[in-house]
């Protein structure tokens, strides 16, 4: 594979060692998109580019404190849940007692998690619907749930991307108490 990138890493070493396939080209470029309501609206009409977000939406976002605790990293077909604590970053693979996480408590924002190093944290999540099946997701199951996207979509084809909850979008025109959540997808972070 030929990798076009401004930085060097492990793959560049392997290319130097084993050679390069000129037919398969991967351009490693970071790209961001913003989505309103991750669970049901990954369609094009609910997506915004980074430029569009900065120009039109940024001023109407109510940023959330919960956003910093739980993020989702997709690598190939694998889904890795990242939990940020004052002690460091853990993944869902570091959870000691998985059955406690999968207990159906309904749609709760936080769970008490004990990690393999016996550290215990209350983890808040902007992805509460994922708790009951946290260990069983792959890319297709996570993305295709309640979505209507085509097979050539970047979400299904990007080798690595990060999903982050940003906050709620409130343009000031709605009288509802519910405002749609805003998520950021960073491709090739």
């Amino acid at each position: 594979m030929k990798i076009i990138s401004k930085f060097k890493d492990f793959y560049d070493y392997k290319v130097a060692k084993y050679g390069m396939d000129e037919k398969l080209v991967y351009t490693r470029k970071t790209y961001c998109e913003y989505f309103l309501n991750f669970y049901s609206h990954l369609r094009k009409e609910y997506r915004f580019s980074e430029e569009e977000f900065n120009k039109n939406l940024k001023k109407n976002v109510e940023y959330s404190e919960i956003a910093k605790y739980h993020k989702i990293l997709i690598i190939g077909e694998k889904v890795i849940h990242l939990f940020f604590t004052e002690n460091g970053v853990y993944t869902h693979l570091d959870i000691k007692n998985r059955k406690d996480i999968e207990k159906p408590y309904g749609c709760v924002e936080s769970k008490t998690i004990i990690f393999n190093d016996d550290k215990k944290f209350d983890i808040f999540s902007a992805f509460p619907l994922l708790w009951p099946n946290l260990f069983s997701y792959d890319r297709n199951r996570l993305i295709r749930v309640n979505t209507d996207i085509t097979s050539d979509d970047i979400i299904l084809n990007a080798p690595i991307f990060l999903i982050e909850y940003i906050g709620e979008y409130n343009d000031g025109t709605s009288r509802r108490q519910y405002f749609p959540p805003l998520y950021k997808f960073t491709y090739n972070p």
Side-chain angles (χ1 to χ4, degrees):
M1 175 187 315
K2 179 178 180 180
I3 300 173
I4 300 172
S5 175
K6 64 181 177 182
F7 57 90
K8 303 292 180 201
D9 62 12
F10 174 77
Y11 299 105
D12 297 295
Y13 160 76
K14 290 296 184 184
V15 166
K17 185 175 179 181
Y18 296 109
M20 184 182 321
D21 180 1
E22 294 287 339
K23 294 177 187 172
L24 185 59
V25 177
Y26 171 56
T27 302
R28 187 186 300 149
K29 179 181 175 190
T30 300
Y31 170 72
C32 297
E33 281 186 308
Y34 293 83
F35 291 83
L36 289 175
N37 201 346
F38 167 69
Y39 292 105
S40 60
H41 299 302
L42 294 180
R43 297 185 304 264
K44 296 278 186 200
E45 59 266 25
Y46 296 102
R47 294 184 184 189
F48 305 96
S49 68
E50 192 167 23
E51 180 181 307
E52 194 174 357
F53 171 78
N54 289 330
K55 185 177 178 183
N56 300 323
L57 300 174
K58 191 174 187 175
K59 62 185 176 287
N60 296 324
V61 175
E62 295 176 13
Y63 294 93
S64 173
E65 184 69 20
I66 292 175
K68 66 182 181 182
Y69 296 108
H70 181 192
K71 298 176 184 186
I72 301 173
L73 181 65
I74 311 292
I75 303 173
E77 295 302 315
K78 302 290 183 195
V79 174
I80 308 294
H81 294 270
L82 303 172
F83 302 108
F84 294 81
T85 69
E86 62 269 6
N87 212 44
V89 179
Y90 295 95
T91 71
H92 71 286
L93 304 171
D94 297 320
I95 295 175
K96 190 171 192 172
N97 193 353
R98 294 178 177 195
K99 291 184 184 353
D100 289 343
I101 301 302
E102 295 175 334
K103 286 181 185 174
Y105 292 113
C107 189
V108 294
E109 283 188 350
S110 73
K111 291 223 178 199
T112 301
I113 299 176
I114 301 171
F115 293 101
N116 288 333
D117 62 0
D118 291 323
K119 303 265 191 237
K120 184 177 180 180
F121 297 99
D122 286 330
I123 302 291
F124 291 88
S125 178
F127 307 96
L129 296 175
L130 300 182
W131 285 125
N133 299 305
L134 191 72
F135 301 99
S136 63
Y137 283 100
D138 62 12
R139 177 197 296 244
N140 287 330
R141 183 165 181 228
L142 180 71
I143 299 302
R144 292 241 183 227
V145 175
N146 298 321
T147 62
D148 202 12
I149 55 179
T150 61
S151 61
D152 64 340
D153 197 296
I154 189 170
I155 294 173
L156 298 176
N157 297 305
I160 300 172
F161 65 94
L162 180 69
I163 304 171
E164 302 172 79
Y165 172 69
I166 302 296
E168 293 179 340
Y169 178 71
N170 180 0
D171 62 1
T173 61
S174 178
R175 293 180 186 221
R176 304 178 305 183
Q177 290 187 345
Y178 169 78
F179 299 106
L182 184 68
Y183 295 88
K184 178 181 179 181
F185 282 46
T186 306
Y187 303 100
N188 304 320

